[in-house]
Amino acid sequence: AQKITQTQPGMFVQEKEAVTLDCTYDTSDPSYGLFWYKQPSSGEMIFLIYQGSYDQQNATEGRYSLNFQKARKSANLVISASQLGDSAMYFCAMRDGSSSNTGKLIFGQGTTLQVKP
Amino acid sequence: GAVVSQHPSWVICKSGTSVKIECRSLDFQATTMFWYRQFPKQSLMLMATSNEGSKATYEQGVEKDKFLINHASLTLSTLTVTSAHPEDSSFYICSASRGHYNSPLHFGNGTRLTVT
């Protein structure tokens, strides 16, 4: 069965500093995708970054990078040069390729990030 | 721009009435859409998978007679909360994907339901 775990309910970071949000996952399927979403207080879900299980390199998208450690089953999100607008809830999520799965996206518990000025 | 549109953004209804929420994929055909529910400061919980032209697949613990899902076309899925009660008050959000496990889900902006 799929499982996503985020162990940090809340995090603080000083503006302009980097922050790492932790995520571990579990799946028996060799084909899977890992995703990070940002949810501001307005409620919309904003897709940030994707990492595929067969990708050899860590994904990067602007100030976002994903520290993918496959053997440890971790996919931590690194936000560099934090901005006040980064304050939001962040979700790690996974889809796997099993035929019985329909590609549904399973979410972790989320981490609330607050950026201090 | 948005690729998934969800309406209404918010709705207030009286206990015992039914509410319909629409989810549309705007620029792609979605054979599968997903409906999630989110309580304040909690994660998104998958309620059901909506399949075009067939019955929805509900997650364990979700009452299929209470949360009716219809996926009549490749661009539209609807969720109807029947005989709503205050405990059904929540944030409902739909999503769709252009592809399979290596593609992100695109989300609607969600519907905040308040049952009085």
Side-chain angles (χ1 to χ4, degrees):
Chain A
Q2 297 173 290
K3 188 175 182 181
I4 292 279
T5 303
Q6 295 178 255
T7 58
Q8 306 157 313
M11 291 280 286
F12 288 94
V13 64
Q14 204 67 38
E15 192 178 10
K16 300 181 183 178
E17 292 187 350
V19 63
T20 298
L21 306 183
D22 294 342
C23 173
T24 58
Y25 63 91
D26 194 20
T27 178
S28 57
D29 199 288
S31 304
Y32 53 88
L34 297 159
F35 305 84
W36 278 91
Y37 286 84
K38 172 184 178 182
Q39 187 180 41
S41 57
S42 59
E44 60 184 309
M45 294 291 287
I46 302 169
F47 165 66
L48 297 178
I49 195 167
Y50 159 78
Q51 181 83 47
S53 59
Y54 299 112
D55 293 345
Q56 296 296 312
Q57 293 188 323
N58 288 343
T60 60
E61 287 288 347
R63 294 188 298 111
Y64 305 108
S65 60
L66 202 152
N67 184 2
F68 181 44
Q69 298 188 43
K70 194 171 182 177
R72 297 179 61 184
K73 294 189 173 180
S74 73
N76 299 339
L77 177 70
V78 180
I79 306 174
S80 62
S82 296
Q83 302 172 356
L84 295 178
D86 293 336
S87 295
M89 197 155 186
Y90 289 80
F91 291 100
C92 180
M94 177 173 67
R95 303 179 79 183
D96 72 30
S98 65
S99 59
S100 63
N101 190 22
T102 70
K104 60 187 177 183
L105 191 66
I106 302 300
F107 287 88
Q109 300 91 324
T111 296
T112 299
L113 176 67
Q114 293 189 44
V115 181
K116 293 181 174 180
Chain B
V3 296
V4 175
S5 174
Q6 185 173 342
H7 293 282
S9 300
W10 60 269
V11 58
I12 302 173
C13 71
K14 292 187 176 180
S15 190
T17 60
S18 296
V19 173
K20 181 185 283 189
I21 302 169
E22 290 190 350
C23 180
R24 296 181 183 273
S25 58
L26 297 181
D27 60 354
F28 65 99
Q29 294 182 332
T31 56
T32 303
M33 292 185 177
F34 303 92
W35 287 95
Y36 290 85
R37 182 176 183 176
Q38 185 182 30
F39 291 108
K41 300 189 187 302
Q42 294 188 22
S43 185
L44 280 74
M45 299 303 297
L46 180 66
M47 298 176 66
T49 301
S50 173
N51 305 300
E52 188 269 335
S54 65
K55 292 182 180 179
T57 304
Y58 290 83
E59 295 297 302
Q60 192 173 7
V62 177
E63 298 176 60
K64 61 181 180 181
D65 293 331
K66 180 165 192 60
F67 300 100
L68 299 179
I69 291 173
N70 184 279
H71 196 152
S73 77
L74 287 170
T75 59
L76 174 63
S77 175
T78 60
L79 168 68
T80 301
V81 183
T82 63
S83 187
H85 290 284
E87 56 264 33
D88 298 324
S89 298
S90 189
F91 188 63
Y92 295 87
I93 189 164
C94 70
S95 64
S97 174
R98 299 176 191 267
H100 200 42
Y101 72 89
N102 54 355
S103 299
L105 290 190
H106 299 284
F107 286 84
N109 285 340
T111 298
R112 200 163 300 279
L113 171 64
T114 303
V115 185
T116 60

